[in-house]
Amino acid sequence: KQLGDQTTQLQNIGQARYWGFEFDLREKFNGYQIDANYSYLNAANTADEKESEYLEYRPEHRFNVFSKKRLYKNLDFQIQLSWVGNQYYQDINDATWGELKNYWLLGGKISYHYKNMNFYIRGTNLMDINYFSEFGVPEAGREIFAGVRFLK
């Protein structure tokens, strides 16, 4: 809530309504496993005293596609593509509402299994997209990780 002189105060919402649906699909063929999912969320502030019907940071649309394949004996490859759309925020400076930009993210992983160890190289945001999941707070650019996971 805007209190004046660029002063805001976070307040609980008296009542909200959420409804939506999800679809999931998994298919295996020629050594590939492909998973796809989509979710729709309709979230609204239904309180009697409200400044807006929006609820912050509740994306209306999410879409993911994930695929993995064993390339050779103990060598696996994975790739993931994600999209987030129609997400709203309230500007803390003037209490106006805005919409965050929709964004796509690409990630991947190559892993090698040896005895009780899994060696991997994983990348996130491989297209190095500049995106925000919260107003004014940029998310990380391209990141590359490497590691070893010990299995039981």
Side-chain angles (χ1 to χ4, degrees), residues 78-146:
Q78 300 175 12
I79 191 164
Q80 180 177 357
L81 181 65
S82 300
W83 179 73
V84 176
N86 295 18
Q87 186 171 199
Y88 297 92
Y89 69 91
Q90 188 173 24
D91 189 316
I92 61 171
N93 297 312
D94 61 12
T96 59
W97 285 88
E99 184 175 356
L100 293 173
K101 285 176 55 178
N102 301 340
Y103 58 89
W104 288 93
L105 295 175
L106 178 67
K109 180 179 178 181
I110 295 176
S111 60
Y112 181 77
H113 306 277
Y114 178 74
K115 295 187 179 180
N116 67 334
M117 295 176 286
N118 180 291
F119 299 89
Y120 66 89
I121 297 174
R122 178 173 57 94
T124 60
N125 193 6
L126 293 175
M127 297 181 298
D128 201 24
I129 300 297
N130 183 19
Y131 74 101
F132 296 81
S133 63
E134 186 174 327
F135 177 71
V137 182
E139 293 293 334
R142 181 182 303 117
E143 295 181 298
I144 305 295
F145 303 90

Side-chain angles (χ1 to χ4, degrees), residues 1-2 8 10 22 26 28-30 42 44 55 60 68 72 92 106 113 116 118 123 128 132-134 143 145 149 152:
K1 183 174 186 175
Q2 188 70 24
T8 59
L10 297 177
E22 294 183 9
R26 173 174 283 173
K28 294 182 180 183
F29 64 94
N30 294 335
N42 183 302
L55 292 179
E60 185 176 8
K68 70 180 181 178
Y72 181 77
I92 61 171
L106 178 67
H113 306 277
N116 67 334
N118 180 291
D128 201 24
F132 296 81
S133 63
E134 186 174 327
E143 295 181 298
F145 303 90
R149 183 174 165 212
K152 292 182 180 182

Side-chain angles (χ1 to χ4, degrees), residues 36-81:
N37 63 62
Y38 168 78
S39 65
Y40 172 80
L41 175 65
N42 183 302
N45 179 354
T46 58
D48 291 334
E49 295 179 26
K50 61 185 172 206
E51 296 175 8
S52 170
E53 290 189 9
Y54 296 123
L55 292 179
E56 278 191 301
Y57 310 120
R58 305 297 195 285
E60 185 176 8
H61 304 283
R62 287 183 182 263
F63 173 72
N64 297 288
V65 176
F66 172 83
S67 180
K68 70 180 181 178
K69 178 171 176 59
R70 173 137 303 160
L71 299 176
Y72 181 77
K73 291 185 182 180
N74 297 336
L75 184 65
D76 293 329
F77 175 74
Q78 300 175 12
I79 191 164
Q80 180 177 357
L81 181 65

